Amino acid sequence: MAPGPLGDVALGKATAPVTVIEYVSLTCPHCANFQKNLFPRGKKEFIDTGKVRFIVREFPIGRTSGTAAIVNRCAPEDKYFFLLNQFLTRQPEWVSQEVRPDALYAVAKSSGMTRETFDKCLSNQTIIDGLTEVKQRGRQFGVIGTPTFFINGRKAQGEVTFDEIKALIEQAPPPPPTPS
């Protein structure tokens, strides 16, 4: 479950005893529900207390989600989670069958991104190739839809409740040893 070519974006202590990896598609309604209704409580209870390191990996489903994921990766690293939250919680403003750059930019500019940066970002081949590899690697780990979570390597998929996530965190096996 090592990070891909773009590196992982994480919240929480690197030394936390439990690592939660979420594979997310920014157009996924179940991902938005998790972000709105479960993540704030989970952050307060597990990430902020040092119990969990939370990593997000992109698994875009469709061109609109893929474009939003590219834009999110162009944001400064300290704005990544802010913009992720904006994309997920503001889905009705920008999600559609066709990619709507102006609607995506309306969300992206909330992170301080300029239109010039946004426009350049859309053709950033390093990010595009990196996201493609992240998704392919996700498939190798058995990700077929979003959200998919790995809690110290144990998989949970789809709409989960807070109690289910909490139980998985509390019952998480220790992380595998790091090869020396």
Side-chain angles (χ1 to χ4, degrees), residues 71-72 75-76 79-90 93-94 102-115 118:
V71 171
N72 203 54
K79 296 287 187 181
Y80 179 89
F81 280 98
F82 171 82
L83 192 51
L84 177 90
N85 184 65
Q86 292 295 300
F87 277 125
L88 287 168
T89 60
R90 296 172 58 184
E93 298 174 35
W94 65 274
D102 290 340
L104 285 164
Y105 177 65
V107 176
K109 74 180 179 182
S110 69
S111 71
M113 187 178 291
T114 66
R115 185 65 192 230
F118 174 86

Side-chain angles (χ1 to χ4, degrees), residues 32-75:
N33 182 57
F34 172 80
Q35 188 68 25
K36 287 179 202 171
N37 300 313
L38 280 73
F39 182 77
R41 184 173 168 199
K43 183 178 182 304
K44 182 178 177 184
E45 212 167 301
F46 300 113
I47 299 168
D48 295 346
T49 60
K51 296 174 186 170
V52 166
R53 179 172 173 85
F54 185 80
I55 296 170
V56 169
R57 292 189 180 159
E58 300 87 351
F59 195 85
I61 299 172
R63 287 193 56 217
T64 300
S65 180
T67 303
I70 293 165
V71 171
N72 203 54
R73 276 291 182 153
C74 282

